[in-house]
Amino acid sequence: MMKKSVVWKVGALACASLVTLAGCGSGSSGATENGKPVVTVAVTKDARAEKMEKMAWTKDLQKDCGCTIKWQEVAGSSWDQQKKAALAAGEVADVTIGGYGAGDMGQYGSLFLDLKPELKNMPNLSKMFKAEPYSKVISTGTNGKIQGAPTVDRPTTARTSNHMFINKQWLDKLGLKVPTTWAELETDLKAFKTQDPNGNGKADEVPMDFNSPSTGGFGLFSPNVLLASQGIVVPNGALGMYAQDGKIKNYLTDSRYKDLITYMHQLWSDGVISSEAFTHDWSKYTGTAKGNGTTATVGFTWMWTPSDIFGTKIADQYVTIPSLKASDGQSETLVWAYNGDELAYKADTIVVSSAVKNKEAALKLVDAFYAPDMSIQARYGAFGSAVKKNAVNDYKVLDAPAGQNVSDWQFYQSLSDGAPGWISDDMKLELPAAQSEVKGVDKVYDNDYKNVNFNKDVLYANMPMTEEQTNTMNSNNTGITQYAMSKFATWVTKGGVDKDWDTYVSYLKKNKLDDNIKIQQQVYDAFQKNMHLIGVNLNDQN
């Protein structure tokens, strides 16, 4: 155990490095300014966003809480390092937006205020919890406390981030049909490679591309989603873990995963996968997909919407396709990847320090985010410049001004999807085409989702864990993650999965993969129990 003097030095150094991020006494001592209580609010935000104090809606937020807000702004890209220092020092801002999660609550729970006893004085948040009981489930920790309030937005989100696109214009030119099986997809991709479908006389077509998997596991827009072809509802994250009929399993040692690798190696051997698929960064991946002017270069990939990945100039060349059969006559039922609960319900978006001095003002501030007008403005921007308020609960999000990039504009004067708040079913909300495009894209998977029981076949994204569970799984993953992901890349590009498979499976089991599955089952069962107690049926809203 550290001596007190050493602990003090660590805290002091952390304060020095964080400057005003965690407050370190600033704004946490019951200070007042102009006769109003001061509340420090740390916020992680997109680099494209302007200063918080310049966002017009933040002035309304100050009125609602009757306080003076001292903003401490941090770019999302640099938050992790600063967060670790703040937690180690035991100093967090009065209120933090987008900074902490369930893992932090498990390990540093004493730093965060339990909102459960405070709900009687938080009418907006209480109303949301009652109307959206699942939001209360994801906000309740293993200790029964509510130490963070979520973002809830079912009306405008999708059931998955992973949508699958193919260039229909290329298919039509080459006399090919939209694929329904892995074999048909391979045929299409081989034609893309050899028959100059973009018509520019160059062999510049990239038949298939995807977001590079990392040593930390599969991210979004990676080929592991093709496991849905064989009945696995692939979640976002949780290396290899998935749920089926209430049982937690792991596909990293499943024969269906081996089949996928064999298929991907065949595509690599065909030369239809981008040669940079395992090495390019995000900007290169998305930049390549946008082609050259109106000339497309990528034939097939995964992403949120066509406009998002291909850009507005060529997006209309692409169609969304549902889950593919791995083979004709297969026994497995087609499903699709799912992370809709994570998209519609984001846990712990806003938290309050247990050491907050101006508690009443801080709680008013948090609760204000869950009123309709503030929820809309924090998400989309201020009334007048970004949103038109037509009537009570009736809003129109305005198009970006001429000359402004649409993607950049939605982040400029708001916290976008990083904002706390509640977009409810009671709202009438008209969105620009670019922001409503995903609804039509997501609808393509309706038939696939008919085969999913959302109460038993989904590995939920926001399941709280104890500190012991978190530490054990993280420790076990050290021996699993990098090895599994390096083998995936090797097997796809060089082959050898049949020869190496038994040794590979033995290695993962030796490194306690089965123990992680048992822990994940415990976490899942506890979460399911809470769902039943609060009365949640996810089949009703998917």
Side-chain angles (χ1 to χ4, degrees):
M1 181 178 293
M2 291 184 181
K3 294 181 180 179
K4 289 184 178 179
S5 60
V6 177
V7 172
W8 179 88
K9 290 178 182 177
V10 171
L13 288 171
C15 276
S17 66
L18 292 173
V19 191
T20 61
L21 172 66
C24 296
S26 174
S28 298
S29 58
T32 59
E33 186 174 297
N34 298 323
K36 297 180 180 179
V38 173
V39 179
T40 60
V41 181
V43 55
T44 61
K45 50 189 284 235
D46 192 279
R48 291 167 286 186
E50 65 178 348
K51 293 290 186 182
M52 295 299 297
E53 62 186 18
K54 292 185 178 181
M55 296 185 190
W57 58 267
T58 62
K59 296 178 176 61
D60 292 336
L61 185 64
Q62 286 196 126
K63 292 178 183 177
D64 291 341
C65 70
C67 65
T68 298
I69 300 174
K70 297 293 185 181
W71 294 103
Q72 301 170 351
E73 304 176 39
V74 186
S77 59
S78 59
W79 169 250
D80 279 350
Q81 182 178 357
Q82 297 188 52
K83 178 180 79 168
K84 290 175 183 176
L87 292 172
E91 293 276 359
V92 297
D94 293 331
V95 174
T96 303
I97 299 172
Y100 300 105
D104 303 313
M105 308 301 171
Q107 191 170 0
Y108 299 96
S110 63
L111 298 180
F112 302 99
L113 183 69
D114 181 9
L115 300 179
K116 198 170 185 178
E118 313 295 341
L119 289 176
K120 59 183 179 294
N121 297 315
M122 304 178 78
N124 297 321
L125 185 59
S126 297
K127 182 179 180 180
M128 184 191 73
F129 280 153
K130 184 176 181 180
E132 291 279 3
Y134 189 68
S135 68
K136 190 171 184 179
V137 174
I138 66 166
S139 302
T140 304
T142 57
N143 56 9
K145 296 180 178 180
I146 297 176
Q147 293 183 288
T151 298
V152 177
D153 178 13
R154 283 194 298 108
T156 72
T157 54
R159 291 165 295 189
T160 181
S161 298
N162 288 294
H163 301 108
M164 190 158 58
F165 310 116
I166 195 165
N167 193 307
K168 182 66 162 54
Q169 186 170 298
W170 289 7
L171 292 175
D172 292 343
K173 180 178 180 180
L174 301 180
L176 298 168
K177 64 179 182 178
V178 175
T180 60
T181 66
W182 286 5
E184 290 175 1
L185 175 61
E186 182 182 7
T187 298
D188 292 345
L189 296 178
K190 289 166 73 174
F192 288 172
K193 177 179 173 62
T194 60
Q195 298 182 36
D196 189 28
N198 67 12
N200 66 353
K202 302 176 183 178
D204 59 348
E205 287 85 359
V206 179
M208 174 189 277
D209 204 359
F210 48 80
N211 184 26
S212 297
S214 72
T215 55
F218 290 106
L220 292 170
F221 321 124
S222 290
N224 63 319
V225 297
L226 285 176
L227 288 166
S229 300
Q230 298 171 299
I232 295 176
V233 182
V234 180
N236 178 26
L239 185 69
M241 298 289 184
Y242 69 99
Q244 189 170 46
D245 197 25
K247 300 297 181 184
I248 299 300
K249 301 179 181 181
N250 193 288
Y251 61 70
L252 292 179
T253 56
D254 193 300
S255 61
R256 291 171 290 182
Y257 179 63
K258 182 183 174 186
D259 292 342
L260 173 61
I261 293 169
T262 300
Y263 175 68
M264 292 299 296
H265 175 59
Q266 182 59 51
L267 296 183
W268 186 272
S269 300
D270 293 337
V272 299
I273 297 176
S274 167
S275 61
E276 299 179 316
F278 288 97
T279 57
H280 56 39
D281 61 15
W282 178 256
S283 62
K284 184 63 185 294
Y285 166 55
T286 56
T288 300
K290 288 178 174 57
N292 298 304
T294 58
T295 302
T297 53
V298 172
F300 173 96
T301 193
W302 296 269
M303 183 54 80
W304 180 245
T305 65
S307 295
D308 200 35
I309 180 65
F310 303 112
T312 55
K313 292 182 180 179
I314 59 173
D316 60 357
Q317 295 184 26
Y318 295 83
V319 293
T320 309
I321 56 177
S323 191
L324 304 171
K325 292 180 181 178
S327 60
D328 283 320
Q330 67 181 49
S331 59
E332 295 91 353
T333 302
L334 291 181
V335 293
W336 189 242
Y338 180 83
N339 62 318
D341 62 316
E342 177 184 37
L343 295 171
Y345 301 91
K346 297 179 181 178
D348 305 318
T349 306
I350 188 166
V351 301
V352 180
S353 168
S354 59
V356 62
K357 294 298 189 295
N358 292 320
K359 186 173 79 168
E360 182 179 352
L363 293 176
K364 283 184 178 180
L365 185 153
V366 171
D367 195 55
F369 273 107
Y370 296 89
D373 284 359
M374 188 56 62
S375 291
I376 290 292
Q377 292 184 94
R379 175 68 181 264
Y380 295 105
F383 292 151
S385 56
V387 179
K388 178 184 178 184
K389 181 178 179 180
N390 299 316
V392 175
N393 274 2
D394 185 349
Y395 311 93
K396 178 181 180 179
V397 178
L398 304 175
D399 289 322
Q404 286 279 358
N405 179 281
V406 174
S407 296
D408 292 344
W409 174 250
Q410 66 178 322
F411 290 96
Y412 181 64
Q413 56 173 309
S414 76
L415 295 176
S416 191
D417 57 359
W422 175 27
I423 309 300
S424 73
D425 290 332
D426 295 333
M427 291 180 180
K428 181 179 179 182
L429 180 60
E430 182 181 347
L431 296 173
Q435 295 185 44
S436 58
E437 179 185 6
V438 73
K439 282 298 186 181
V441 170
D442 200 68
K443 188 172 177 58
V444 171
Y445 300 90
D446 281 355
N447 286 332
D448 297 322
Y449 285 126
K450 287 178 181 178
N451 300 321
V452 177
N453 183 333
F454 294 93
N455 294 321
K456 292 185 177 182
D457 297 332
V458 168
L459 186 67
Y460 311 109
N462 292 299
M463 296 186 293
M465 302 172 68
T466 65
E467 182 178 358
E468 181 181 2
Q469 288 169 333
T470 301
N471 291 340
T472 300
M473 287 192 73
N474 287 343
S475 177
N476 292 346
N477 277 338
T478 301
I480 295 172
T481 311
Q482 188 168 350
Y483 176 75
M485 297 313 298
S486 66
K487 296 302 287 186
F488 177 79
T490 298
W491 286 333
V492 170
T493 58
K494 298 180 180 179
V497 65
D498 287 328
K499 176 174 63 71
D500 296 343
W501 185 256
D502 290 343
T503 301
Y504 159 81
V505 171
S506 296
Y507 181 91
L508 293 188
K509 290 182 177 294
K510 180 181 178 181
N511 280 273
K512 301 181 179 180
L513 178 63
D514 290 340
D515 288 353
N516 271 10
I517 295 173
K518 290 178 182 177
I519 293 172
Q520 192 75 73
Q521 184 74 60
Q522 293 168 0
V523 173
Y524 178 88
D525 289 345
F527 193 76
Q528 283 260 303
K529 182 179 180 180
N530 205 17
M531 281 176 59
H532 295 319
L533 287 173
I534 294 177
V536 172
N537 181 357
L538 292 180
N539 286 322
D540 289 342
Q541 57 195 50
N542 284 287

